[in-house]
Amino acid sequence: EIVLTQSPVSITASQGEKVTITCRASSSISSNYLHWYQQKAGSYPKLLIYRTSILASGFPDSFSGSGSDTSYTLTISCMQDEVAASYYCQQGSSSPYTFGAGTKLELK
Amino acid sequence: EVQLVESGGGLVQPGRSMKLSCAASGFTFNNYDMAWVCQAPKKGLEWVATISYDGSSTYYRDSVKGRFTISRDNAKSTLYLQMDSLRSEDTATYYCARHVPYGGYQPWGQGVMVTVSS
């Protein structure tokens, strides 16, 4: 099983601040199979970034993703109230198709 | 509009069964693999099971193998999750999701709550 370790577990950022969330895999993953999801409180998850770096429809380009092998990053260039949510990485490379434990992002 | 709508959740006693349904619309259902993902209260997301576009292949997380069965009816554009021998630790919101090749899970349904308790 590929274990995905996200850090930090939670983060509080100020308006306009840049935020970085890391996802580390216990073994190598093709970048084609690493995805990120956003889940706002009380709602279902939404695909945010797929194949490591491709932004899903409906999300602003303040979100970006990068990485390879065992280390992946989600970056939010400018913290705003509307990006306060939980973020999860997920690998679709091999079953079980695991998720990271999540990062809760809040506005200071 | 691509849409997934789950149904069938509720309160069930430990050891009993429950069947969830997910009605799909707005896309060619039989072209896509489908998945169930769960989320225990105040916890993270956990993949539960995946079924191939034609139903010929299924995959499960270890904790549900032998107890849960994922299936689909392509004629009805509907995904199912039969849950048997339910345990308290199965209490969660269950989401169905379309699996896009190299594209993750998109979209997700709104989720259905399953509570296993006596």
Side-chain angles (χ1 to χ4, degrees):
Chain A
E1 174 176 329
I2 297 176
V3 177
L4 299 180
T5 302
Q6 280 186 240
S7 60
V9 171
S10 66
I11 183 168
T12 303
S14 302
Q15 193 90 6
E17 184 178 348
K18 180 179 177 180
V19 175
T20 300
I21 298 170
T22 298
C23 176
R24 289 202 162 81
S26 59
S27 57
S28 182
I29 303 170
S30 164
S31 60
N32 285 329
Y33 296 107
L34 194 286
H35 317 296
W36 292 92
Y37 301 85
Q38 179 194 67
Q39 185 180 31
K40 293 192 175 182
S43 186
Y44 56 91
K46 294 180 180 178
L47 179 70
L48 171 63
I49 286 175
Y50 60 100
R51 297 176 72 174
T52 296
S53 61
I54 303 174
L55 190 64
S57 175
F59 287 96
D61 60 8
S62 56
F63 291 97
S64 63
S66 64
S68 64
D69 197 21
T70 61
S71 183
Y72 295 86
T73 300
L74 171 67
T75 301
I76 304 167
S77 63
C78 181
M79 179 65 193
Q80 302 175 70
D81 183 57
E82 55 263 36
V83 306
S86 292
Y87 293 87
Y88 297 89
C89 58
Q90 182 250 334
Q91 64 85 17
S93 177
S94 63
S95 177
Y97 303 114
T98 45
F99 288 86
T103 295
K104 187 173 184 179
L105 173 60
E106 296 176 303
L107 180 64
K108 190 178 293 181
Chain B
E1 179 193 4
V2 176
Q3 195 170 14
L4 300 170
V5 179
E6 300 97 336
S7 60
L11 175 64
V12 62
Q13 292 180 328
R16 303 297 291 265
S17 299
M18 178 171 279
K19 187 171 187 176
L20 306 182
S21 300
C22 171
S25 60
F27 66 101
T28 305
F29 184 69
N30 58 13
N31 280 356
Y32 292 89
D33 296 356
M34 298 292 294
W36 288 97
V37 177
C38 73
Q39 185 171 36
K42 299 192 182 302
K43 299 295 185 183
L45 301 170
E46 283 192 337
W47 169 79
V48 176
T50 291
I51 186 167
S52 61
Y53 67 98
D54 61 357
S56 63
S57 297
T58 56
Y59 309 87
Y60 300 91
R61 65 179 296 109
D62 284 349
S63 62
V64 307
K65 278 180 186 174
R67 299 190 301 121
F68 289 12
T69 303
I70 187 171
S71 63
R72 63 193 297 160
D73 185 334
N74 284 345
K76 295 182 178 179
S77 295
T78 302
L79 176 72
Y80 303 101
L81 186 66
Q82 175 68 43
M83 302 184 293
D84 298 323
S85 303
L86 281 161
R87 306 167 180 167
S88 58
E89 54 264 36
D90 297 321
T91 294
T93 296
Y94 286 76
Y95 299 98
C96 69
R98 182 181 69 170
H99 180 201
V100 177
Y102 302 106
Y105 299 129
Q106 178 186 21
W108 297 56
Q110 83 287 351
V112 62
M113 183 69 197
V114 173
T115 302
V116 184
S117 175
S118 55

